[in-house]
Amino acid sequence: MSFADLVSLAWRGAIRRPVQSGLLILAAATAMGLHGGVVLLSEAGEAGMKLGLARLGADLLVVPEGTQEDLYDSLVTSQTTDQVLNAEQVGAIAGSSLVAETTAQLYAKSLSGASCCSVASVLIIGFEPHTDFVVRPWLAGRPRTRLSAQDVLVGSDLGLAEGDELKLYGTSLRVAGVLDPTALSLDVSVFVPMDTLIRMATASAKQAEKPLELSAGQASTVLVRLTPQAARLPVDQVATWLERDVPGVEVVVASELMVQLRTRLEAALAGLSSVRLLVGPAAALLGALALGLSVHLRRRDLGLLRALGATARDVATVVLLEAVGLAVLGVTLGLGVATLGVFAFQRLIADAMSVPLSMPSLERIAVLWAAGGAAAVIVALVAAAVPAFAISRLAPVDTLAMRHRRTT
Amino acid sequence: MNRIFLMAGVSVVLGGLLLLIPWCLLPVCGVGPGLSLSPGHHGCHVALWGATGSGVVLLVLGGVAVGLRRRGATLALLAGATLAGLVTLLSSTVFPGMCRLATMACRRGTQPALVLVGVALVLFGGVGLWRVARRP
């Protein structure tokens, strides 16, 4: 029999028993969907953390004492805290002998419950254009864009374009540029020059439904670049010295952010990973049982095939082809749903897990699919080997007689 | 016979999802737990009514197909599913689409979910129509 004939027989066998075939496909789809989802989220989290950290561009971040966790929340989920550094603390940080450059940022949240398409519930980040070394480099190709009093920059994922107008706390503003993606909540933030932000705060008492309570000189975070001498020292030691020199502050080492975010990612994926570890072997067992049952129910057909001249090898090949085909269908379904789900709902998932997500490249996704497909084919071949070998060893007359005895 | 039940079942599930997604599962902006629309106009509310209408049509067509069990009813069900998918896709993406900002609830959850269901409906209706129309 030609290979095409064997494939055709395997296909017909699969569609004639929709329940067994459906079980096999479902088992493979569930196992690979879970596995693919965990791997995709893990890779998206790693990629997001690396991208976010690379975009920060500072060695240290200085925040008010006790607000380190709030900083993570600000960077990932746009949450803000009322605590700020005062002008004296900001000045002391900038004046430290360990520090080469500093730039202050002040966080606020836009009003929620506004009417359609107003800029509601987004993070407003006040930055200092004359000292900034963080935000401007994200303006692809145009880092020297001049900002007028009404101009703001916006994150890549906010849905606004250059020239768009928006209103914050009653003040009309214009989008002067869209920043490169960072995978952090900064992608859905509005970056307002500090002078403009303070002017907005002053005017908000009359123009907005709720006043914005900020004053000049305050900062939510001071981003720090160390001097070459300090950069050669252990960074934890430098952080400790800075905390000692400036009372009431907490220093976050930028590279530690990665560790903290990775811990969050692992914690968020722990439950899903456990389920995956349980479901994988269970799906393989269920698949093997469904396949064994399918072969058992087809003994007469396969015996008839032998009686009509098919070799034992042909019969075994039909069983193996059916198993592999159904497994590949299941893998395609499972990985397809997982990929689509993660891609479509990545913003919701990132918020729920409190980690930045950046979808892996198409090449990585293709590798994941190929690896998943290969693993499923191997598992299907192993699971189908026993019934395929057993049925191919039986003489045609035996299989037909067994059926005859049972029916008479 | 089984085929009609299968098609009606798929339509009812997808139609149910069209009703549940924008109201309960991943609600559009301004839709609260009490299922009442908040005051003020949101761009996404056109998509909300588009999906709601499509969902109701699919539920009705599914019931009619099971009740009549005729080829014409099956064809109407499949054509309705294709149309409902197109209406859902268009109203949630371009005519008029969702709210402007990507941070809005409708853009984060409702839109991708409706797009996935819309694509599933177009595929289901299109392939089903092609297969049923081929038969004498």
Coordinates of all heavy atoms in Angstrom, one line a residue, chain B residues 22-93:
Chain B
P22 N -19.7 42.0 26.5 CA -19.7 43.5 26.8 C -20.5 43.9 28.0 O -20.4 45.0 28.5 CB -20.3 44.0 25.5 CG -21.1 42.9 24.9 CD -20.5 41.6 25.4
W23 N -21.4 43.0 28.5 CA -22.2 43.4 29.7 C -21.6 42.9 31.0 O -21.7 43.5 32.0 CB -23.6 42.8 29.5 CG -24.5 43.5 28.5 CD1 -24.7 43.1 27.2 CD2 -25.1 44.8 28.6 NE1 -25.5 44.0 26.5 CE2 -25.8 45.1 27.4 CE3 -25.2 45.7 29.6 CZ2 -26.5 46.2 27.1 CZ3 -26.0 46.9 29.4 CH2 -26.6 47.1 28.2
C24 N -21.1 41.7 31.0 CA -20.7 41.0 32.3 C -19.2 40.6 32.3 O -18.5 40.9 33.2 CB -21.5 39.8 32.5 SG -23.2 40.0 32.4
L25 N -18.8 39.8 31.3 CA -17.5 39.2 31.4 C -16.3 40.2 31.3 O -15.5 40.3 32.2 CB -17.3 38.1 30.3 CG -18.3 36.9 30.4 CD1 -18.1 36.0 29.3 CD2 -18.2 36.2 31.7
L26 N -16.3 41.0 30.3 CA -15.3 42.0 30.1 C -16.1 43.3 29.6 O -16.1 43.7 28.5 CB -14.3 41.6 29.0 CG -13.4 40.4 29.3 CD1 -12.8 39.8 28.1 CD2 -12.4 40.8 30.3
P27 N -16.8 43.9 30.6 CA -17.7 45.0 30.2 C -17.1 46.2 29.6 O -15.9 46.5 29.9 CB -18.4 45.4 31.5 CG -17.5 44.8 32.6 CD -16.7 43.7 32.0
V28 N -17.8 46.9 28.7 CA -17.4 48.1 28.1 C -17.4 49.2 29.2 O -17.8 49.0 30.3 CB -18.3 48.5 26.9 CG1 -18.1 47.6 25.8 CG2 -19.7 48.7 27.4
C29 N -16.8 50.4 28.8 CA -16.7 51.5 29.7 C -18.1 51.9 30.3 O -19.1 52.0 29.5 CB -16.1 52.7 29.1 SG -14.6 52.3 28.1
G30 N -18.2 52.2 31.5 CA -19.4 52.7 32.1 C -20.5 51.7 32.4 O -21.6 52.0 32.7
V31 N -20.2 50.4 32.2 CA -21.2 49.4 32.5 C -20.8 48.7 33.8 O -19.7 48.1 33.9 CB -21.3 48.3 31.4 CG1 -22.2 47.1 31.8 CG2 -21.8 48.9 30.1
G32 N -21.7 48.9 34.8 CA -21.3 48.4 36.1 C -22.0 47.0 36.4 O -22.6 46.5 35.5
P33 N -21.7 46.5 37.6 CA -22.3 45.2 38.0 C -23.8 45.2 37.9 O -24.4 44.1 37.7 CB -21.9 45.0 39.5 CG -20.8 46.1 39.7 CD -21.0 47.2 38.7
G34 N -24.5 46.3 38.1 CA -25.9 46.3 38.0 C -26.5 46.4 36.6 O -27.7 46.6 36.4
L35 N -25.6 46.2 35.6 CA -25.9 46.2 34.2 C -26.6 47.5 33.7 O -27.4 47.5 32.9 CB -26.8 45.0 33.9 CG -26.3 43.6 34.2 CD1 -27.2 42.6 33.6 CD2 -24.9 43.4 33.6
S36 N -26.3 48.6 34.4 CA -26.9 49.9 33.9 C -25.8 50.7 33.3 O -24.7 50.7 33.8 CB -27.5 50.6 35.1 OG -26.5 50.9 36.1
L37 N -26.1 51.4 32.3 CA -25.1 52.2 31.6 C -25.0 53.5 32.4 O -25.9 54.2 32.8 CB -25.6 52.6 30.2 CG -25.7 51.4 29.2 CD1 -26.3 51.8 27.9 CD2 -24.3 50.8 29.0
S38 N -23.7 53.9 32.6 CA -23.4 55.2 33.3 C -23.8 56.4 32.4 O -23.8 56.2 31.2 CB -22.0 55.2 33.7 OG -21.2 55.4 32.5
P39 N -24.1 57.5 33.0 CA -24.4 58.7 32.1 C -23.2 59.1 31.3 O -22.1 58.8 31.6 CB -24.8 59.7 33.1 CG -24.2 59.3 34.4 CD -24.2 57.8 34.4
G40 N -23.4 59.8 30.2 CA -22.3 60.2 29.3 C -22.1 59.2 28.2 O -22.4 58.0 28.4
H41 N -21.7 59.7 27.1 CA -21.6 58.9 25.9 C -20.2 58.3 25.7 O -19.2 59.0 25.9 CB -22.0 59.7 24.6 CG -21.8 58.9 23.4 ND1 -22.6 57.8 23.1 CD2 -20.9 58.9 22.4 CE1 -22.2 57.3 21.9 NE2 -21.1 58.0 21.5
H42 N -20.1 57.0 25.5 CA -18.9 56.4 25.3 C -18.9 55.8 23.8 O -19.9 55.2 23.4 CB -18.6 55.2 26.2 CG -18.2 55.7 27.6 ND1 -16.9 55.9 28.0 CD2 -19.0 55.9 28.7 CE1 -16.9 56.3 29.3 NE2 -18.2 56.3 29.7
G43 N -17.8 56.0 23.1 CA -17.7 55.5 21.7 C -18.0 54.0 21.7 O -18.6 53.5 20.7
C44 N -17.7 53.3 22.7 CA -17.8 51.8 22.7 C -19.2 51.3 22.8 O -19.5 50.1 22.6 CB -16.9 51.2 23.8 SG -17.2 51.8 25.4
H45 N -20.1 52.2 23.1 CA -21.5 51.8 23.4 C -22.2 51.4 22.1 O -23.1 50.6 22.1 CB -22.3 52.8 24.1 CG -21.9 52.9 25.5 ND1 -22.5 53.8 26.4 CD2 -21.0 52.3 26.2 CE1 -22.0 53.6 27.6 NE2 -21.0 52.7 27.5
V46 N -21.7 51.9 20.9 CA -22.3 51.4 19.6 C -21.9 49.9 19.4 O -22.7 49.1 19.0 CB -21.7 52.3 18.5 CG1 -22.2 51.7 17.1 CG2 -22.2 53.7 18.6
A47 N -20.6 49.6 19.8 CA -20.2 48.2 19.7 C -20.9 47.3 20.7 O -21.2 46.2 20.4 CB -18.7 48.1 19.9
L48 N -21.3 47.9 21.8 CA -22.0 47.2 22.8 C -23.4 46.7 22.3 O -23.8 45.6 22.3 CB -22.2 48.1 24.1 CG -23.3 47.6 25.1 CD1 -22.8 46.4 25.9 CD2 -23.6 48.7 26.0
W49 N -24.1 47.7 21.6 CA -25.4 47.4 21.1 C -25.3 46.5 19.8 O -26.1 45.7 19.6 CB -26.2 48.6 20.8 CG -26.6 49.3 22.1 CD1 -26.1 50.5 22.5 CD2 -27.4 48.8 23.1 NE1 -26.6 50.8 23.8 CE2 -27.4 49.8 24.2 CE3 -28.1 47.6 23.3 CZ2 -28.1 49.6 25.3 CZ3 -28.8 47.4 24.5 CH2 -28.8 48.4 25.5
G50 N -24.2 46.7 19.1 CA -23.9 45.8 17.9 C -23.8 44.4 18.3 O -24.4 43.5 17.8
A51 N -23.0 44.2 19.4 CA -22.7 42.8 19.9 C -24.0 42.2 20.5 O -24.3 41.1 20.3 CB -21.6 42.8 20.9
T52 N -24.7 43.1 21.2 CA -26.0 42.6 21.9 C -27.0 42.2 20.8 O -27.6 41.1 20.9 CB -26.6 43.7 22.7 OG1 -25.6 44.2 23.7 CG2 -27.8 43.3 23.5
G53 N -27.2 43.0 19.8 CA -28.1 42.7 18.7 C -27.7 41.4 18.0 O -28.6 40.5 17.8
S54 N -26.4 41.3 17.7 CA -25.9 40.1 17.0 C -26.2 38.8 17.9 O -26.6 37.8 17.4 CB -24.4 40.2 16.7 OG -24.2 41.3 15.9
G55 N -25.9 39.0 19.2 CA -26.1 37.8 20.1 C -27.6 37.4 20.1 O -27.9 36.2 20.0
V56 N -28.5 38.4 20.2 CA -29.9 38.0 20.3 C -30.3 37.3 19.0 O -31.0 36.3 19.0 CB -30.8 39.3 20.5 CG1 -32.2 39.0 20.3 CG2 -30.5 39.8 21.9
V57 N -29.9 37.9 17.8 CA -30.2 37.3 16.5 C -29.7 35.8 16.4 O -30.5 34.9 16.0 CB -29.6 38.1 15.4 CG1 -29.6 37.4 14.0 CG2 -30.3 39.5 15.2
L58 N -28.5 35.6 16.9 CA -28.0 34.2 16.9 C -28.8 33.3 17.7 O -29.0 32.1 17.4 CB -26.5 34.2 17.3 CG -25.5 34.6 16.3 CD1 -24.1 34.7 16.8 CD2 -25.5 33.6 15.1
L59 N -29.2 33.7 18.9 CA -30.0 32.9 19.8 C -31.3 32.5 19.2 O -31.7 31.4 19.2 CB -30.2 33.6 21.2 CG -29.0 33.8 22.1 CD1 -29.4 34.5 23.4 CD2 -28.3 32.5 22.4
V60 N -31.9 33.5 18.5 CA -33.2 33.3 17.9 C -33.1 32.3 16.7 O -33.8 31.3 16.6 CB -33.9 34.6 17.4 CG1 -35.1 34.4 16.5 CG2 -34.2 35.5 18.6
L61 N -32.1 32.6 15.9 CA -31.8 31.7 14.7 C -31.5 30.3 15.1 O -31.9 29.3 14.5 CB -30.7 32.3 13.8 CG -31.1 33.5 13.0 CD1 -29.9 34.1 12.2 CD2 -32.2 33.2 12.0
G62 N -30.7 30.1 16.2 CA -30.4 28.8 16.7 C -31.7 28.1 17.1 O -31.8 26.9 16.8
G63 N -32.6 28.8 17.8 CA -33.8 28.1 18.3 C -34.7 27.8 17.1 O -35.3 26.7 17.0
V64 N -34.8 28.7 16.1 CA -35.6 28.4 14.9 C -35.1 27.2 14.2 O -35.8 26.3 13.7 CB -35.6 29.7 14.0 CG1 -36.3 29.4 12.7 CG2 -36.4 30.8 14.7
A65 N -33.7 27.1 14.0 CA -33.1 26.0 13.3 C -33.4 24.7 13.9 O -33.7 23.7 13.3 CB -31.6 26.2 13.2
V66 N -33.4 24.6 15.3 CA -33.6 23.4 16.0 C -35.1 23.1 15.9 O -35.5 21.9 15.7 CB -33.2 23.5 17.5 CG1 -33.7 22.3 18.3 CG2 -31.7 23.5 17.6
G67 N -36.0 24.1 16.0 CA -37.4 23.9 15.9 C -37.9 23.4 14.5 O -38.7 22.5 14.4
L68 N -37.4 24.0 13.5 CA -37.9 23.7 12.1 C -37.1 22.5 11.5 O -37.7 21.7 10.8 CB -37.7 24.9 11.2 CG -38.6 26.1 11.5 CD1 -38.3 27.2 10.5 CD2 -40.0 25.7 11.5
R69 N -35.8 22.4 11.8 CA -35.0 21.3 11.3 C -35.1 21.2 9.8 O -35.3 20.1 9.2 CB -35.3 19.9 11.9 CG -35.0 19.9 13.4 CD -35.4 18.7 14.0 NE -35.5 18.8 15.5 CZ -36.0 17.9 16.3 NH1 -36.3 16.7 15.8 NH2 -36.0 18.1 17.6
R70 N -35.0 22.3 9.1 CA -35.0 22.3 7.7 C -33.8 23.0 7.1 O -33.1 23.8 7.8 CB -36.2 23.2 7.2 CG -37.5 22.4 7.4 CD -38.7 23.0 6.6 NE -39.9 22.4 7.0 CZ -41.1 23.0 7.1 NH1 -41.1 24.2 6.8 NH2 -42.1 22.3 7.4
R71 N -33.5 22.6 5.9 CA -32.2 23.1 5.3 C -32.2 24.7 5.2 O -31.2 25.3 5.5 CB -32.2 22.6 3.9 CG -31.0 22.9 3.1 CD -31.1 22.3 1.7 NE -30.4 23.1 0.6 CZ -29.1 22.9 0.3 NH1 -28.4 22.0 1.0 NH2 -28.6 23.6 -0.6
G72 N -33.4 25.2 4.9 CA -33.5 26.7 4.8 C -33.2 27.4 6.1 O -32.5 28.4 6.1
A73 N -33.7 26.8 7.2 CA -33.4 27.4 8.5 C -31.9 27.3 8.9 O -31.3 28.2 9.5 CB -34.2 26.6 9.6
T74 N -31.3 26.1 8.5 CA -29.9 26.0 8.7 C -29.1 27.0 7.9 O -28.1 27.6 8.4 CB -29.4 24.5 8.3 OG1 -30.3 23.6 8.9 CG2 -28.0 24.3 8.8
L75 N -29.5 27.2 6.7 CA -28.8 28.2 5.8 C -28.9 29.6 6.4 O -28.0 30.4 6.5 CB -29.3 28.1 4.4 CG -28.8 27.0 3.5 CD1 -29.5 27.0 2.2 CD2 -27.3 27.1 3.3
A76 N -30.1 29.9 6.9 CA -30.4 31.2 7.5 C -29.5 31.4 8.8 O -29.0 32.4 9.0 CB -31.9 31.4 7.9
L77 N -29.4 30.3 9.5 CA -28.6 30.3 10.8 C -27.1 30.6 10.4 O -26.5 31.5 11.0 CB -28.7 29.0 11.5 CG -27.7 28.8 12.7 CD1 -28.1 29.7 13.8 CD2 -27.8 27.3 13.1
L78 N -26.6 29.9 9.4 CA -25.2 30.1 9.1 C -25.0 31.5 8.5 O -24.0 32.2 8.7 CB -24.8 29.0 8.1 CG -24.8 27.6 8.7 CD1 -24.6 26.5 7.7 CD2 -23.6 27.5 9.7
A79 N -25.9 32.0 7.6 CA -25.8 33.3 7.0 C -25.9 34.3 8.2 O -25.1 35.3 8.2 CB -26.9 33.6 6.0
G80 N -26.8 34.1 9.1 CA -26.9 35.0 10.3 C -25.6 35.1 11.1 O -25.2 36.1 11.5
A81 N -25.0 33.9 11.3 CA -23.7 33.8 12.0 C -22.6 34.6 11.4 O -21.9 35.4 12.0 CB -23.3 32.4 12.2
T82 N -22.5 34.5 10.0 CA -21.5 35.2 9.3 C -21.8 36.7 9.4 O -20.8 37.5 9.7 CB -21.6 34.8 7.8 OG1 -21.6 33.4 7.7 CG2 -20.4 35.3 7.0
L83 N -23.0 37.1 9.2 CA -23.4 38.5 9.3 C -23.1 39.1 10.7 O -22.6 40.2 10.9 CB -24.9 38.7 8.9 CG -25.3 40.1 8.5 CD1 -24.5 40.4 7.2 CD2 -26.8 40.1 8.2
A84 N -23.5 38.3 11.7 CA -23.3 38.7 13.1 C -21.8 38.9 13.4 O -21.4 39.9 14.1 CB -23.9 37.7 14.1
G85 N -21.0 38.0 12.9 CA -19.6 38.1 13.1 C -19.0 39.4 12.4 O -18.2 40.1 13.0
L86 N -19.5 39.6 11.2 CA -19.0 40.9 10.5 C -19.4 42.1 11.2 O -18.6 43.0 11.4 CB -19.5 40.9 9.1 CG -18.9 39.9 8.1 CD1 -19.6 39.9 6.8 CD2 -17.4 40.2 7.9
V87 N -20.7 42.1 11.7 CA -21.2 43.3 12.4 C -20.4 43.5 13.7 O -19.9 44.6 14.0 CB -22.7 43.1 12.8 CG1 -23.1 44.2 13.8 CG2 -23.5 43.3 11.5
T88 N -20.1 42.4 14.4 CA -19.3 42.5 15.7 C -17.9 43.0 15.4 O -17.4 43.9 16.1 CB -19.2 41.1 16.3 OG1 -20.6 40.6 16.5 CG2 -18.5 41.2 17.6
L89 N -17.3 42.4 14.3 CA -15.9 42.8 14.0 C -15.8 44.3 13.6 O -15.0 45.1 14.1 CB -15.4 42.0 12.8 CG -14.8 40.6 13.1 CD1 -14.5 39.9 11.9 CD2 -13.6 40.7 14.0
L90 N -16.8 44.7 12.7 CA -16.7 46.1 12.3 C -17.1 47.1 13.4 O -16.4 48.1 13.5 CB -17.7 46.3 11.1 CG -17.3 45.6 9.8 CD1 -18.4 45.8 8.7 CD2 -16.0 46.2 9.3
S91 N -18.1 46.8 14.2 CA -18.5 47.8 15.2 C -17.5 47.9 16.3 O -17.4 48.9 17.0 CB -19.9 47.4 15.8 OG -19.8 46.2 16.5
S92 N -16.7 46.8 16.5 CA -15.7 46.9 17.6 C -14.3 47.4 17.1 O -13.5 47.6 18.0 CB -15.6 45.5 18.3 OG -15.2 44.6 17.4
T93 N -14.2 47.5 15.8 CA -12.9 48.0 15.4 C -12.9 49.3 14.6 O -12.1 50.2 14.8 CB -12.2 46.9 14.5 OG1 -13.1 46.5 13.4 CG2 -11.8 45.7 15.3

